[in-house]
Amino acid sequence: MRVAIAGAGLAGLSCAKYLTDAGHTPIVLESRDVLGGLVAAWKDSDGDWYETGLHAFFGAYPNMLQLLKELGIEDRLQWKEHTLIFNQPDKPGTLSRFDVPDIPSPFNVIASILRNKDMLTWEQKIRFAVGLLPAVVRGQKYVEDMDKYSFLEWLKRQGVDERVTSDVFIAACKALTFINPDEVSATILLTALNRFLQERYGSKIAFLDGSPTERLCSPIVDYITERGGEVRLNAPLKEILLNTDGTVKGYLIRGLNGAEDEVITADVYVSAMSVDPLKVMLPKPWKLMEFFQKLEGLEGVPVINLHLWFDRKLTEIDHLLFSRSPLLSVYADMSNTCREYANPNRSMLELVLAPAKDWIAKSDEEIVAATLAELEKLFPNHFGGDNPATLLKSHVVKTPRSVYKATPGRQQYRPAQVTPIANFYLAGSYTMQRYLGSMEGAVLSGKLTAQAISEALPVANSSNLQTLTRPPATNAATA
Ligand SMILES: Cc1cc2nc3c(=O)[nH]c(=O)nc-3n(C[C@H](O)[C@H](O)[C@H](O)COP(=O)(O)OP(=O)(O)OC[C@H]3O[C@@H](n4cnc5c(N)ncnc54)[C@H](O)[C@@H]3O)c2cc1C
């Protein structure tokens, strides 16, 4: 079967990969001139990479890890020490660590919390542990039910005091969703905590060894094209053309640079665009259907990713850091964490600015200036005194609508991959799967879409169909 997929983010590429495994022929149509969507990256005129987002991979990403294995590129993940590292705003330049010992879960994570003396008192630790019990004992159903509360409301209901929120969870919420605990759905944090508590290496972090576009997306494209599929850049979907019965007749692709528009036809069609462009693209008759109307409840959240190159080394830390700054979320010195960006003499900090709604319209100069002011608190030794570090260059990448904004009540609006239109499916990290708006969620959603298509339209004699019949229990979206 020929399957046309709009969008070459991780969801679209994963969908195409698993469709080829099942004997189908995907054609992926990407509007931009770069692969990867929210993981896209570019090389500047000096040959330095800059990215849409600083991306951390977790041990609790079974579908991503499985995909890398299937592509034979799992060695491209550079695993870091099993620890979470936080800056301490009240002691500028110092760090607090949650070192996770190599013992079975959940004891490893519990031990890391108990052993941290900087960020939580004993009373807070015990209150939080008790508060978390229902999520651990009652499982995913309880976690889903908590979508009606913000994480802050949930913490209050569990009797966990305000300091815990300000100390640990503002950083965690900003890192996971680019918004604060008073805005984020409790389901998000509880889902992540549950994964970290249930999997021994769930909270272990890895970085890719180079740009996601080259090191992650390109091998998926090679895999697809070597097996007869196609991936086309600069091929924006302009309109979804319908048959009289409301099913899809074709994808109208906008011709660029004076070229004619082109109609692509297939047996099945997938949208792997993010939710915001999909909403704009919906054909009129579909807008009357409840399934598609629900998409109005979802919207991408703004976020900004910065890259700052300095004239010296600011730190030797080879890990993700939670800044605990009101302006910034997580950051890393990519000259330490990523093989292709390595530099023994100079730091390149990659930093996520979130929440970004008040910053997204500001100039790059304003954003860099505000970030440098924050760095004075994170690296006081390098920015005070007679010989402060000099910024050599910077890149700012703004994404006004990134992953769906995970406020309370959003779960009910996240659509299934299977739609009421017989030959039209959805993929994307915003669609319903257990890994939320993440790379893992995107990969899983694409896999689920491919699986649903293969179940609806099995290909006879497909040697690889087996890989799609059911993911192993640990990979199952609804397990
Ligand atoms: C700053 C930042 C940091 C992040 N950090 C992490 C992290 O540390 N860990 C993690 O797991 N996740 C992280 N994420 C989230 C992760 O990147 C996303 O969840 C995931 O990449 C989404 O993939 P997707 O394929 O669902 O959507 P997208 O990546 O948005 O892909 C959609 C694709 O559709 C294309 N498209 C849109 N309109 C059209 C059209 N008309 N025609 C054809 N194509 C179209 C787009 O160009 C895009 O390529 C981060 C995201 C950002 C922005």
Side-chain angles (χ1 to χ4, degrees):
M1 298 285 168
R2 183 172 150 91
V3 185
I5 302 170
L10 287 175
L13 293 175
S14 148
C15 180
K17 189 268 177 200
Y18 287 105
L19 283 169
T20 52
D21 283 347
H24 298 289
T25 309
I27 167 166
V28 183
L29 304 154
E30 165 58 42
S31 59
R32 300 200 293 175
D33 60 359
V34 60
L35 293 167
L38 293 180
V39 302
W42 302 265
K43 233 180 197 177
D44 70 11
S45 52
D46 302 322
D48 292 320
W49 284 99
Y50 58 102
E51 309 179 334
T52 312
L54 170 62
H55 278 88
F57 296 69
F58 286 91
Y61 277 8
N63 296 281
M64 173 63 87
L65 301 184
Q66 175 72 23
L67 174 66
L68 296 176
K69 209 167 167 189
E70 286 164 3
L71 296 168
I73 57 168
E74 67 266 47
D75 59 344
R76 293 186 184 181
L77 284 188
Q78 295 182 249
W79 289 99
K80 308 301 175 192
E81 233 180 301
H82 199 172
T83 183
L84 297 178
I85 311 177
F86 293 76
N87 277 100
Q88 303 204 78
D90 43 348
K91 295 182 202 154
T94 64
L95 300 170
S96 177
R97 297 169 63 111
F98 287 80
D99 293 320
V100 185
D102 195 8
I103 56 174
S105 62
F107 307 105
N108 56 352
V109 173
I110 293 170
S112 78
I113 296 170
L114 294 181
R115 292 196 312 199
N116 180 291
K117 305 236 172 0
D118 308 313
M119 289 177 67
L120 301 174
T121 64
W122 276 102
E123 195 197 333
Q124 287 167 334
K125 285 173 189 176
I126 291 163
R127 273 187 176 277
F128 180 61
V130 172
L132 206 56
L133 267 182
V136 178
V137 174
R138 288 160 61 191
Q140 196 61 22
K141 168 85 176 70
Y142 172 84
V143 169
E144 293 290 333
D145 285 348
M146 294 304 106
D147 190 41
K148 51 184 176 282
Y149 302 117
S150 73
F151 189 61
L152 190 62
E153 285 165 347
W154 180 84
L155 282 171
K156 282 186 184 150
R157 287 174 62 85
Q158 303 307 113
V160 181
D161 85 34
E162 295 266 330
R163 222 195 112 210
V164 182
T165 323
S166 59
D167 269 3
V168 186
F169 290 115
I170 293 179
C173 292
K174 281 167 56 140
L176 286 170
T177 59
F178 315 134
I179 51 180
N180 280 318
D182 58 337
E183 274 202 291
V184 71
S185 156
T187 296
I188 304 292
L189 265 286
L190 293 176
T191 302
L193 283 168
N194 247 354
R195 298 261 60 81
F196 290 172
L197 281 168
Q198 283 172 21
E199 294 173 34
R200 183 167 182 159
Y201 301 112
S203 55
K204 204 166 178 193
I205 290 173
F207 283 69
L208 197 61
D209 65 357
S211 96
T213 307
E214 268 200 358
R215 303 293 289 168
L216 174 58
C217 298
S218 291
I220 312 178
V221 172
D222 292 343
Y223 186 99
I224 296 163
T225 51
E226 280 159 17
R227 288 159 181 80
E230 206 185 322
V231 179
R232 279 171 56 180
L233 299 177
N234 299 309
L237 176 61
K238 181 179 169 186
E239 194 182 337
I240 302 173
L241 306 172
L242 296 192
N243 294 308
T244 45
D245 65 358
T247 58
V248 183
K249 183 160 117 194
Y251 270 177
L252 183 66
I253 303 301
R254 188 186 302 282
L256 299 181
N257 304 319
E260 297 258 301
D261 290 353
E262 183 189 352
V263 177
I264 301 279
T265 54
D267 301 295
V268 178
Y269 299 82
V270 176
S271 164
M273 302 180 288
S274 44
V275 69
D276 301 286
L278 172 64
K279 283 193 295 188
V280 177
M281 197 76 60
L282 287 176
K284 254 194 189 146
W286 293 6
K287 285 188 178 163
L288 303 173
M289 302 168 81
E290 196 194 343
F291 179 90
F292 293 109
Q293 281 171 351
K294 280 191 170 178
L295 297 179
E296 289 304 323
L298 300 173
E299 190 184 356
V301 65
V303 65
I304 298 172
N305 201 50
L306 288 106
H307 310 70
L308 305 177
W309 281 262
F310 290 97
D311 64 343
R312 69 193 63 177
K313 223 50 186 170
L314 301 181
T315 174
E316 295 297 333
I317 293 175
D318 175 11
H319 217 297
L320 187 75
L321 288 122
F322 293 79
S323 73
R324 292 180 62 213
S325 132
L327 184 75
L328 304 169
S329 172
V330 286
Y331 67 101
D333 187 336
M334 298 297 273
S335 73
N336 303 329
T337 54
C338 172
R339 207 169 290 135
E340 200 179 335
Y341 304 173
N343 189 325
N345 305 315
R346 290 176 173 174
S347 285
M348 189 278 261
L349 296 188
E350 192 168 336
L351 311 107
V352 179
L353 190 159
K357 73 174 175 358
D358 297 333
W359 288 92
I360 201 84
K362 297 204 181 190
S363 69
D364 290 1
E365 291 72 25
E366 283 175 284
I367 292 166
V368 170
T371 303
L372 286 174
E374 286 297 301
L375 292 188
E376 289 182 22
K377 294 172 211 155
L378 301 181
F379 300 99
N381 298 342
H382 292 286
F383 289 96
D386 304 335
N387 181 23
T390 303
L391 179 67
L392 300 177
K393 71 170 178 180
S394 62
H395 286 298
V396 176
V397 183
K398 296 179 188 170
T399 306
R401 289 168 190 268
S402 68
V403 293
Y404 78 94
K405 189 173 177 184
T407 50
R410 292 314 92 185
Q411 291 294 82
Q412 62 178 311
Y413 298 118
R414 295 176 67 197
Q417 288 76 30
V418 178
T419 79
I421 306 297
N423 65 348
F424 183 72
Y425 293 76
L426 299 177
S429 67
Y430 73 93
T431 61
M432 190 46 107
Q433 40 71 27
R434 69 190 279 192
Y435 289 98
L436 316 166
S438 64
M439 294 185 286
E440 170 69 7
V443 168
L444 174 57
S445 75
K447 193 175 196 173
L448 291 171
T449 310
Q451 188 178 335
I453 293 170
S454 297
E455 276 168 11
L457 303 160
V459 176
N461 305 325
S462 167
S463 55
N464 290 319
L465 195 59
Q466 195 59 34
T467 59
L468 279 177
T469 48
R470 275 276 163 247
T474 49
N475 290 0
T478 49

